[in-house]
Amino acid sequence: MMKEFIPLPHIRTLTEQQMQKRAQEFNVQIQKRRTVRDFSDRPVDKGIIENCIKAAASAPSGAHQQPWHFVAVSNQDIKSKIRRAAEDEEKEFYQRRASEEWLKALEPLGTNTSKPFLEEAPWLIAVFAQRYGIDVQGNRVKHYYTPESVGIACGMLITALHTSGLATLTHTPSPMGFLKKILKRPDNERPYLLVVCGHPKEGAQVPNIKRKELNDIASFFT
Ligand code: IYR
């Protein structure tokens, strides 16, 4: 494609003070995000999910190839199929595949093979990564930095959902091949993440775990 540049639209003209306030307030809001495993069946309008997916797809991507596809499911039959298939994989995981060390690391989260949230939450968003693209002539187009690009988009999706007032759960049954079959995705895509979202069930509880302090996660050379 030809190189063509335009002036940067929407240049921000925030004062130093406004920037400090926005950074601080955003952090306060995002710190309230918790992974939730108990969802209510209260419906969530499709328009909210559409806007969150649009926000996610504004993520930067390798060579701007936008190597993602989002499948949003509120259909009860499909959610039930996904639950059954995911629970089958999880039984394998918890009974056979997971090492003792892995099971020990999961202990504080209280997870197990039962995944009722896959049927109870109003929306499941399956995110697929396109290992390669297909051009208009049907030829393969190489994609660059696909996992990084899709990972960033997922982070933005979760942020958008949280900002819209919804709770999420990032679910990664492994392997996730069943998602590709149930959701009829093409050969060039592989399932990357299943984001469960909706409102928390009344009285939902979360593990009592803490986030690392800034000193433990960042260093500065100034
Ligand atoms: N996929 C399993 C196990 C699991 C693995 C990790 I890493 C987690 O952070 C949480 C769960 C499950 O969903 O139960």
Side-chain angles (χ1 to χ4, degrees):
M1 224 207 300
M2 271 268 294
K3 184 164 104 179
E4 190 196 351
F5 277 72
I6 56 165
L8 173 67
H10 321 300
I11 300 177
R12 295 223 181 149
T13 48
L14 298 180
T15 64
E16 176 66 29
Q17 220 183 10
Q18 286 170 321
M19 291 196 298
Q20 295 282 0
K21 187 162 177 277
R22 283 220 197 177
Q24 192 263 333
E25 286 174 355
F26 180 75
N27 182 43
V28 168
Q29 288 314 312
I30 203 70
Q31 290 298 338
K32 294 180 187 162
R33 186 205 59 78
R34 291 297 311 258
T35 289
V36 165
R37 288 189 168 78
D38 294 308
F39 286 87
S40 103
D41 59 5
R42 179 178 157 196
V44 169
D45 187 76
K46 187 173 165 223
I48 297 171
I49 303 301
E50 285 175 341
N51 270 313
C52 291
I53 292 174
K54 283 197 224 171
S58 75
S61 62
H64 190 55
Q65 282 164 322
Q66 306 168 78
W68 41 61
H69 186 86
F70 301 86
V71 185
V73 180
S74 64
N75 178 287
Q76 206 56 49
D77 287 343
I78 300 181
K79 286 194 291 183
S80 300
K81 274 193 189 143
I82 292 175
R83 175 183 180 180
R84 262 180 268 132
E87 287 183 338
D88 286 347
E89 294 296 1
E90 297 298 359
K91 276 178 207 139
E92 263 306 295
F93 174 80
Y94 283 95
Q95 286 161 19
R96 268 179 284 278
R97 288 207 328 272
S99 61
E100 279 305 309
E101 190 181 18
W102 196 343
L103 291 176
K104 199 141 184 55
L106 291 179
E107 244 173 47
L109 306 182
T111 56
N112 57 44
T113 56
S114 166
K115 306 294 174 195
F117 50 76
L118 293 174
E119 273 180 312
E120 289 165 5
W123 288 98
L124 307 180
I125 306 175
V127 185
F128 288 83
Q130 296 176 337
R131 294 180 301 134
Y132 54 90
I134 316 239
D135 69 13
V136 277
Q137 279 103 40
N139 300 315
R140 279 188 187 205
V141 179
K142 188 166 167 44
H143 278 169
Y144 303 96
Y145 295 100
T146 301
E148 291 83 350
S149 305
V150 182
I152 296 167
C154 286
M156 292 175 66
L157 177 65
I158 292 162
T159 305
L161 291 164
H162 172 74
T163 305
S164 308
L166 295 172
T168 60
L169 164 59
T170 38
H171 185 46
T172 52
S174 157
M176 286 195 278
F178 64 86
L179 281 178
K180 186 163 158 156
K181 266 199 215 133
I182 296 174
L183 302 175
K184 300 185 169 46
R185 296 312 304 161
D187 278 349
N188 63 325
E189 294 184 5
R190 65 171 186 82
Y192 184 88
L193 193 68
L194 186 59
V195 180
V196 181
C197 65
H199 295 280
K201 206 178 255 176
E202 243 271 308
Q205 292 201 326
V206 292
N208 184 12
I209 48 180
K210 299 271 174 299
R211 294 193 167 112
K212 292 179 179 174
E213 295 294 331
L214 183 62
N215 276 344
D216 297 324
I217 56 149
S219 344
F220 296 87
F221 288 89
T222 56

